[in-house]
Amino acid sequence: MRLFSAMEISASGLTAERFRLDLIASNLANAESTRTEDGGPYRRKVAVFAPRSARYSFGQILASRFQSEPELSGGVAVAGVAEDARPFRIVHMPGHPDADETGYVAFPNVDVVTEMVDLMAATRAYEANVTAIEAAKLMAQKALEILRV
């Protein structure tokens, strides 16, 4: 039933956006972390998404489209986590424990305003996927009501 494929696609979007929200929360929590396990300041992390169908070859996808019930559905998957390459914020703070010999401290490349905008976008995308699942569920319920009559 293609209705369940639509729900599966939206569910993959929910999972991906939840992962993105977790990364944004981590970025915000570490916005002032000047020392990590690697020794330097925290570097902003970004989720990289890819279509789930990218895991299959073109021939597999084409063959699945000719079946009555395609086995390979669309959707999104988290392909990985990338670190933002923007430079760190350098602030002159001679008394800071992580200051270099000239008194400058490297702070993370996390911009709180950018993170809040990303947070709003991820929240809206999550809400859109929830709405799509609710609509598919409502259609399934209405179809069952038609069969009952």
Side-chain angles (χ1 to χ4, degrees), residues 79-115:
V81 176
E83 288 188 346
D84 193 346
R86 287 184 296 171
F88 296 120
R89 233 177 352 117
I90 306 298
V91 179
H92 188 257
M93 297 178 78
H96 195 281
D98 291 327
D100 62 8
E101 58 277 351
T102 59
Y104 287 96
V105 180
F107 280 91
N109 58 352
V110 176
D111 179 28
V112 176
V113 174
T114 302
E115 296 302 320

Side-chain angles (χ1 to χ4, degrees), residues 14-110:
L14 289 173
T15 303
E17 292 301 334
R18 190 192 76 226
F19 184 80
R20 182 177 169 201
L21 288 167
D22 288 344
L23 280 181
I24 292 168
S26 176
N27 290 340
L28 287 170
N30 289 296
E32 298 293 323
S33 298
T34 58
R35 189 181 312 164
T36 61
E37 294 172 353
D38 299 333
Y42 177 83
R43 190 167 285 280
R44 179 176 183 255
K45 293 176 180 36
V46 181
V48 178
F49 295 155
R52 280 198 321 189
S53 60
R55 296 182 295 185
Y56 303 106
S57 71
F58 177 75
Q60 290 172 317
I61 295 170
L62 186 63
S64 74
R65 298 299 181 221
F66 288 110
Q67 297 173 358
S68 61
E69 179 66 29
E71 294 177 21
L72 309 176
S73 64
V76 67
V78 178
V81 176
E83 288 188 346
D84 193 346
R86 287 184 296 171
F88 296 120
R89 233 177 352 117
I90 306 298
V91 179
H92 188 257
M93 297 178 78
H96 195 281
D98 291 327
D100 62 8
E101 58 277 351
T102 59
Y104 287 96
V105 180
F107 280 91
N109 58 352
V110 176

